[in-house]
Amino acid sequence: MIDSEIKNAFKIALGTDETILWTGRPPGGVIFRASDIFLIPFSILWFGFAVFWEVSVVESDAPLLFRLWGIPFLCVGLYISIGRFFIDSHKRKNTVYAITHERILIKSGIFSSEINSVSIRTLSGVTFTTKADGSGTIILGPENDRYGRMQGLDWPGVKQTPRLESIPNVKGVYDIIMDNQRKP
């Protein structure tokens, strides 16, 4: 399936002899992932302690430094508790995928667009997960286990392995990648 709107989004990144074989995009809205089993309780504890700290400091009439000390922890707690879901949803809303006979292209960004290009020929360690409805995620390369547990949590300095996330007919898309990888 090739969406003409998505095809136009990648026009600037395509080589002269490159054609798009498939396009797609992740679903919008809030998505809960396996990593949320750990992140949701952790974020509630973090934010709860940060609120407790700040309220205690303000009520005890502590020095200004102690009052200010808790503010970054409140901000981090607010982000990992609630904000990350909105950031993730907004990022996926701006994300589109394309597969050509040479590369896999991922265009995404929150405030500006970035196109990530992965060569099909040199790609190794491609894995996919599938759900009962046939949708799933293709991970484009070996994944660092530590960062893999942080899915959906964008954090400065944390570079996730490129992926085609929550796409319909994941097996069909995986087959397109594998077929093109085998071609000389």
Side-chain angles (χ1 to χ4, degrees):
M1 170 184 83
I2 298 176
D3 183 319
S4 60
E5 179 187 336
I6 296 174
K7 187 176 179 179
N8 287 335
F10 287 109
K11 195 177 275 191
I12 193 168
L14 294 177
T16 54
D17 60 340
E18 205 170 6
T19 57
I20 293 179
L21 305 173
W22 175 89
T23 61
R25 66 176 14 153
V30 174
I31 291 180
F32 292 102
R33 298 173 172 84
S35 58
D36 289 324
I37 292 171
F38 167 74
L39 287 174
I40 289 174
F42 175 78
S43 67
I44 291 169
L45 289 172
W46 180 289
F47 190 56
F49 182 76
V51 168
F52 169 76
W53 168 273
E54 199 60 31
V55 168
S56 298
V57 167
V58 169
E59 286 181 351
S60 69
D61 205 26
L64 180 62
L65 177 64
F66 287 107
R67 293 178 190 205
L68 295 175
W69 183 261
I71 292 174
F73 294 95
L74 280 171
C75 292
V76 168
L78 190 60
Y79 172 72
I80 63 176
S81 296
I82 300 167
R84 68 187 175 96
F85 292 109
F86 294 105
I87 297 292
D88 177 53
S89 174
H90 185 69
K91 186 175 180 181
R92 280 184 287 101
K93 179 181 170 191
N94 296 332
T95 299
V96 289
Y97 309 125
I99 298 176
T100 72
H101 60 283
E102 296 176 10
R103 308 180 284 163
I104 300 166
L105 302 165
I106 302 170
K107 182 177 181 183
S108 65
I110 296 173
F111 302 111
S112 64
S113 291
E114 171 183 297
I115 296 179
N116 189 356
S117 173
V118 179
S119 171
I120 289 180
R121 304 276 187 268
T122 59
L123 189 58
S124 66
V126 179
T127 57
F128 73 96
T129 57
T130 187
K131 296 179 183 172
D133 65 356
S135 68
T137 298
I138 300 174
I139 301 171
L140 305 170
E143 187 168 44
N144 182 323
D145 188 46
R146 182 175 61 193
Y147 295 148
R149 287 185 235 129
M150 296 176 66
Q151 295 171 357
L153 179 61
D154 281 334
W155 200 259
V158 175
K159 193 72 173 167
Q160 298 281 349
T161 303
R163 62 187 71 226
L164 306 178
E165 185 176 26
S166 301
I167 55 174
N169 187 20
V170 70
K171 175 68 168 100
V173 176
Y174 175 80
D175 289 342
I176 292 171
I177 294 169
M178 292 296 105
D179 290 346
N180 280 289
Q181 203 171 42
R182 289 185 205 103
K183 288 182 181 175

